[in-house]
Amino acid sequence: MADSNTGNPDTTRLLPEATFTAVVSGREISLRETGIPLVLIFHAQDTARDALEVNLAVRGVHPDPAEVMVASVIDLRSFPSMFRGMVKSELEKAYHNAADRLPEGVDPADHVVLLPDWDGSVFDSVGIKNANDQAAVVVADRQGMVLCQAQENDLGAQALDALRNI
């Protein structure tokens, strides 16, 4: 599924009005109110590696998290609420593993942004399906206008292509 919005009123759409609490850092992130371009990688447990690849591609060209935010939206709807504590613990481990690989002096809260979608509502409102088979990337401008949505091929390249138009 590849979709590039061109600004035509018929295809223009905004990210949903959703606010997440980032894992470990506790940062509140409102998808429409970041004030900077946003690259969201929608994935599940089996496609987490795709998030790393997109993050590396985007950070290779846009290293400053104050200029472009990169975040993972993780589909957790398959986990019953009684397992949330265990899932949170696993997410915290993933955060710390990623943070440990960052260069000295880099704030992990800016570079490892994990946003748990416990009920899948953001996935559904954006139209992402089968994220456990194939991750997806959504790029939005500083006002939350979706510029690109892709769920195939080189997600990092597609994100970078969309960011060139900002």
Side-chain angles (χ1 to χ4, degrees):
M1 168 180 173
D3 169 37
S4 291
N5 293 312
T6 60
N8 178 327
D10 295 331
T11 61
T12 299
R13 63 190 173 105
L14 293 170
L15 289 172
E17 287 190 34
T19 301
F20 288 98
T21 301
V23 173
V24 178
S25 73
R27 284 176 56 192
E28 293 290 315
I29 297 181
S30 176
L31 297 184
R32 286 200 194 167
E33 297 175 12
T34 61
I36 59 175
L38 181 59
V39 176
L40 296 172
I41 307 114
F42 286 81
H43 65 89
Q45 185 175 3
D46 291 344
T47 52
R49 185 175 319 145
D50 294 329
L52 178 61
E53 291 172 10
V54 172
N55 208 314
L56 289 171
V58 172
R59 288 292 170 232
V61 177
H62 301 280
D64 187 351
E67 293 180 12
V68 174
M69 179 182 285
V70 180
S72 289
V73 181
I74 306 164
D75 189 355
L76 299 172
R77 71 180 112 197
S78 66
F79 296 97
S81 59
M82 65 183 182
F83 293 116
R84 276 198 184 177
M86 184 173 60
V87 172
K88 283 180 183 178
S89 175
E90 289 301 312
L91 289 173
E92 289 169 2
K93 281 186 206 172
Y95 175 93
H96 291 296
N97 285 339
D100 288 345
R101 291 192 298 260
L102 292 173
E104 182 88 18
V106 172
D107 184 354
D110 291 332
H111 289 271
V112 183
V113 183
L114 306 178
L115 309 176
D117 189 359
W118 292 105
D119 62 4
S121 61
V122 174
F123 273 75
D124 291 343
S125 66
V126 174
I128 305 295
K129 297 185 182 337
N130 303 321
N132 214 31
D133 296 327
Q134 174 65 52
V137 69
V138 174
V139 179
D141 68 11
R142 59 189 81 248
Q143 288 83 34
M145 183 77 57
V146 175
L147 303 173
C148 165
Q149 180 171 326
Q151 195 169 4
E152 55 191 36
N153 303 323
D154 187 345
L155 300 178
Q158 292 190 62
L160 288 171
D161 189 49
L163 290 169
R164 275 192 268 286
N165 297 322
I166 294 179

